[in-house]
Amino acid sequence: MSEPKFFLFDHPLIQHKISILRDKQTSTKEFRELVNELAMLMAYEVTRDLPLKEVDIETPVAATKAKVLAGKKIALVPILRAGLGMVDGMLSIIPNAKVGHIGLYRDPNTLKPVEYYCKLPDDIQNREVILLDPMLATGGSASAAMTFLKERGIKNIKFVCLISAPDGIARLQQDHPDVPIFCAAKDERLNDHAYIIPGLGDAGDRLFGTN
Ligand code: PRP
Ligand code: URA
């Protein structure tokens, strides 16, 4: 089997936006805008392998063959809550994607993911799924979401996050080596509460203004 794929985005625009996102002074409004913009920028690279087909077109001056997307079907699946913040940015680049939702929260005592909601497009088995969650900490939530999707017959999954910790990456690469991980930052470690250090705090709270 081939090595698990891990893509770390080093584009200066992405790094700049991630730094503002981390800053505790950044407001909820700005945080939301940044997550949206980051998802949009990352969508560009995440869709790099989309297949193309050749069609005949006519420009104002000549007939020619041109490449267009072959129409591969995509579903975006945010892990609630924080994954919701990445949906609109992705949709602005992939407007025809359908959107499913998986509700998971991490129990603060056991750190295990607890599932509370799931609604997926009917034809999800025929789609490539882009699973979205800004934070990959222990990897418990993302791994559970991937297992859940695979149990529903989905074979083709990509995972997109903003900030990852080494533990979460190792966990996903062990549990789901077939799922490529795309992320904007790889941080140092987890603290005693399994928060990412330096991280950005609680992504859901910062996105929705709760605490
Ligand atoms: C956060 C985050 C991930 C999870 C990551 O969600 O959005 O889903 O934690 O942690 P893990 O890798 O250790 O599983 P949280 O459980 O805080 O739920 P929320 O989005 O509803 O606040
Ligand atoms: N979930 C978050 O929102 N932040 C972390 O640092 C870890 C898990």
Side-chain angles (χ1 to χ4, degrees):
M1 190 186 271
S2 56
E3 285 289 296
K5 292 190 178 134
F6 179 78
F7 300 90
L8 188 61
F9 290 78
D10 59 359
H11 194 289
L13 285 177
I14 292 183
Q15 295 310 308
H16 178 80
K17 287 177 194 296
I18 286 285
S19 301
I20 306 173
L21 202 64
R22 290 183 190 278
D23 190 333
K24 67 178 182 185
Q25 307 287 2
T26 297
S27 68
T28 301
K29 172 180 176 288
E30 205 182 349
F31 191 91
R32 222 176 263 149
E33 289 167 356
L34 286 162
V35 171
N36 186 57
E37 289 165 8
L38 281 159
M40 190 161 45
L41 291 170
M42 291 172 81
Y44 178 75
E45 196 57 36
V46 172
T47 52
R48 177 174 285 283
D49 63 353
L50 284 185
L52 293 169
K53 64 179 181 187
E54 216 166 48
V55 294
D56 295 310
I57 60 159
E58 284 190 32
T59 76
V61 288
T64 186
K65 292 198 181 298
K67 289 184 174 143
V68 295
L69 289 171
K72 186 166 184 177
K73 292 180 169 179
I74 293 180
L76 303 178
V77 178
I79 300 178
L80 307 182
R81 291 177 300 166
L84 281 176
M86 300 172 75
V87 173
D88 284 351
M90 284 270 161
L91 279 178
S92 60
I93 302 292
I94 325 166
N96 292 325
K98 287 193 177 176
V99 182
H101 297 85
I102 295 180
L104 287 175
Y105 71 88
R106 199 173 69 160
D107 182 289
N109 298 316
T110 64
L111 299 179
K112 298 266 184 291
V114 181
E115 186 203 321
Y116 61 90
Y117 185 77
C118 177
K119 183 80 181 171
L120 300 172
D122 287 343
D123 61 351
I124 190 127
Q125 291 91 343
N126 306 325
R127 292 177 177 267
E128 173 177 308
V129 169
I130 302 180
L131 183 65
L132 304 171
D133 193 327
M135 307 306 275
L136 175 61
T138 64
S141 306
S143 180
M146 288 171 195
T147 302
F148 191 80
L149 291 169
K150 288 179 180 176
E151 283 168 357
R152 275 149 193 80
I154 296 144
K155 295 187 181 64
N156 206 341
I157 306 172
K158 289 173 176 165
F159 179 62
V160 185
C161 61
L162 299 183
I163 301 200
S164 62
D167 305 50
I169 297 166
R171 168 85 187 264
L172 292 190
Q173 290 186 334
Q174 180 173 339
D175 294 356
H176 302 282
D178 56 306
V179 177
I181 303 170
F182 296 81
C183 92
K186 181 176 171 183
D187 279 10
E188 266 170 47
R189 62 186 173 89
L190 299 178
N191 70 9
D192 294 344
H193 304 285
Y195 270 80
I196 300 175
I197 302 297
L200 50 70
D202 186 302
D205 284 347
R206 295 203 60 192
L207 196 59
F208 295 109
T210 50
N211 55 42

